[in-house]
Amino acid sequence: MIGPASLPRVTGAHPRLLDAALATLVGGIGLLPLLFGRWPDGVRPSGADAVAAAAAFLLLLARRRAPLPVLALTVLGEVTFTILASYPSRVLKIAALIAVYTVARTVRRRIALIAVSGTALSLYAVITYATDSATGPEAGAVFAWTGMFAAVGATVRTWHDYVAAMEERALRAEATKEEEARRRVAEERLRIARELHDVIAHHIALITIQAGVAGHFLRARPDQAEVALGHIRDSGRTVLDELGPLLHVLRQSGDETTDETTGETQPTEPVPGLARLGGLLESLTAAGLSVRHRQAGHPRPLPTAIDLTAYRVVQEGLTNAHKHGTTAEADLLVDFGTDELRIRITNPLASGPYPESAATGTGHGLTGMRERAHAVGGTLHAGADADGRFRLAVRLPLPTAGPPTDTRTSDRPATALPATAAEGRQG
């Protein structure tokens, strides 16, 4: 059963069926007076009415394929019929109005306006000729009926254009949504890759150095080799501890999870900060790097993003200093200013400028630190000074606090284990 809701789908899927039904209806209206012997207004039909009914039927079948020619032929047929029969054809008039609707529905608006205006004037002339009156009600009704059918056609045209525009917008929105999803996936992969680099590169560098130390002392001083192996074991455990939460992030999309046995809420990604700076410096000291650590200003809790960025910058900067320096020493300054956190790392260079990339590295060390600093609104400057020392300076914005109050200095001398010749480039 075809209801009102399904009618648009039927007519859209079978337009020729609709045209055939409409043409049959109009043609049948033209043939009915022949059966009853007169029109409702008393005019007796003739053979010309049958011809007009047949012409209307054939023209309406072709109204979609050639709307303008069909309109012109129906108007011409109406004029010819009126001149020959001395009265207008009702059937051709109905066909002309339907053709007006089709032209307003399908043809460009300027052309449709010209065609509809010409049709209205032609039908007005026909009525004036048949009734011998230019101001009668029938003459005025011609303009009303023509304007109404044209308005309906234009309204339907506007509605179809609106629906088509909405469908196109929905398709573009869907395409944009998919593109945005792909972009977010790429950004998330880049973030995870950078986090993995920060977590692993530092400890792998320490493991490599300690492995060289162990190999150097394996026969001559096995006790020192055992100490180096212990540092390797500790660094490996640290890597596993930090990789665990990060891999948990890759497996689940939530921000937090709850341990089923203890019921405690656990973070899904590692968020180290400057509070863990002591442990970092101890691990570097154990690897043979002497860090002269100075802290200025008034330490205070930092925003999580700033705290994580500061820790990662110090971690990466000191690791690079250990790998590229001529001596196993570096200076670290952490200055808590009133509106920014300043970090400065200096160390002697082996030779030449500080490398951005090398055959043994990816070149993401300085790039990763710079992007991290920029991500939180900070800046990073790195380069060699005239005195042959490499300087890494980072500024990170902070909430406003009181002026600096104290300066502390701590020296972390190198251990008895010398650094090996493992001269890695920028990691």
Side-chain angles (χ1 to χ4, degrees), residues 31-121:
L31 294 177
L32 284 177
L34 296 175
L35 299 178
F36 295 101
R38 67 178 60 246
W39 285 96
D41 56 1
V43 178
R44 291 185 178 274
S46 62
D49 289 287
V51 175
F57 173 79
L58 295 176
L59 288 172
L60 290 179
L61 287 178
R63 69 184 182 92
R64 291 182 189 268
R65 291 190 293 271
L68 284 174
V70 167
L71 178 60
L73 289 175
T74 53
V75 172
L76 180 61
E78 177 71 354
V79 172
T80 303
F81 184 93
T82 303
I83 294 174
L84 296 178
S86 299
Y87 64 90
S89 170
R90 281 81 168 172
V91 175
L92 288 176
K93 186 188 298 182
I94 296 174
L97 294 176
I98 295 176
V100 165
Y101 162 83
T102 305
V103 167
R105 163 72 176 82
T106 58
V107 179
R108 286 186 300 177
R109 288 181 171 83
R110 180 176 298 179
I111 298 177
L113 179 61
I114 296 173
V116 170
S117 300
T119 299
L121 293 175

Side-chain angles (χ1 to χ4, degrees), residues 156-213:
V156 174
R157 177 197 185 102
T158 302
W159 170 253
H160 279 272
D161 291 344
Y162 171 76
V163 172
M166 293 300 294
E167 291 177 352
E168 182 181 359
R169 184 180 301 177
L171 292 176
R172 287 201 307 266
E174 187 66 23
T176 304
K177 182 179 179 181
E178 294 177 358
E179 182 179 352
E180 178 68 13
R182 289 193 296 268
R183 185 184 66 81
R184 289 183 178 275
V185 168
E187 290 180 352
E188 186 66 13
R189 288 176 178 175
L190 180 61
R191 185 191 68 81
I192 293 173
R194 187 179 297 122
E195 190 68 21
L196 283 173
H197 173 270
D198 291 343
V199 170
I200 296 176
H202 166 71
H203 296 290
I204 294 300
L206 295 182
I207 289 174
T208 302
I209 294 172
Q210 292 296 338
V213 172

Side-chain angles (χ1 to χ4, degrees), residues 292-306:
R292 180 179 175 84
H293 174 212
R294 291 183 297 157
Q295 181 173 286
H298 181 64
R300 59 185 184 274
L302 304 178
T304 303
I306 300 295

Side-chain angles (χ1 to χ4, degrees), residues 202-203 205-214 217 223-236 238 277-291 318 322 328-329 411-420:
H202 166 71
H203 296 290
L206 295 182
I207 289 174
T208 302
I209 294 172
Q210 292 296 338
V213 172
F217 287 129
D223 56 334
Q224 298 293 342
E226 183 178 358
V227 173
L229 292 175
H231 290 309
I232 292 175
R233 181 175 60 253
D234 294 339
S235 297
T238 303
L277 186 58
L280 174 64
L281 297 180
E282 289 177 1
S283 66
L284 289 166
T285 299
L289 177 67
S290 177
V291 181
L318 291 178
H322 196 3
E329 63 180 29
D411 296 326
R412 295 181 178 272
T415 61
L417 304 179
T420 66

Side-chain angles (χ1 to χ4, degrees), residues 205-284:
L206 295 182
I207 289 174
T208 302
I209 294 172
Q210 292 296 338
V213 172
H216 181 74
F217 287 129
L218 185 60
R219 293 182 177 85
R221 300 176 63 182
D223 56 334
Q224 298 293 342
E226 183 178 358
V227 173
L229 292 175
H231 290 309
I232 292 175
R233 181 175 60 253
D234 294 339
S235 297
R237 288 175 178 173
T238 303
V239 171
L240 292 178
D241 292 341
E242 293 199 17
L243 279 180
L246 186 59
L247 294 177
H248 189 69
V249 173
L250 299 179
R251 288 193 297 266
Q252 297 186 7
S253 59
D255 293 334
E256 294 182 341
T257 56
T258 302
D259 189 282
E260 296 181 356
T261 57
T262 63
E264 297 179 352
T265 300
Q266 300 176 347
T268 57
E269 58 179 316
V271 283
L274 292 181
R276 295 174 53 181
L277 186 58
L280 174 64
L281 297 180
E282 289 177 1
S283 66
L284 289 166

Side-chain angles (χ1 to χ4, degrees), residues 12-24:
H14 306 284
R16 294 183 180 179
L17 180 61
L18 175 63
D19 290 345
L22 183 60
T24 302

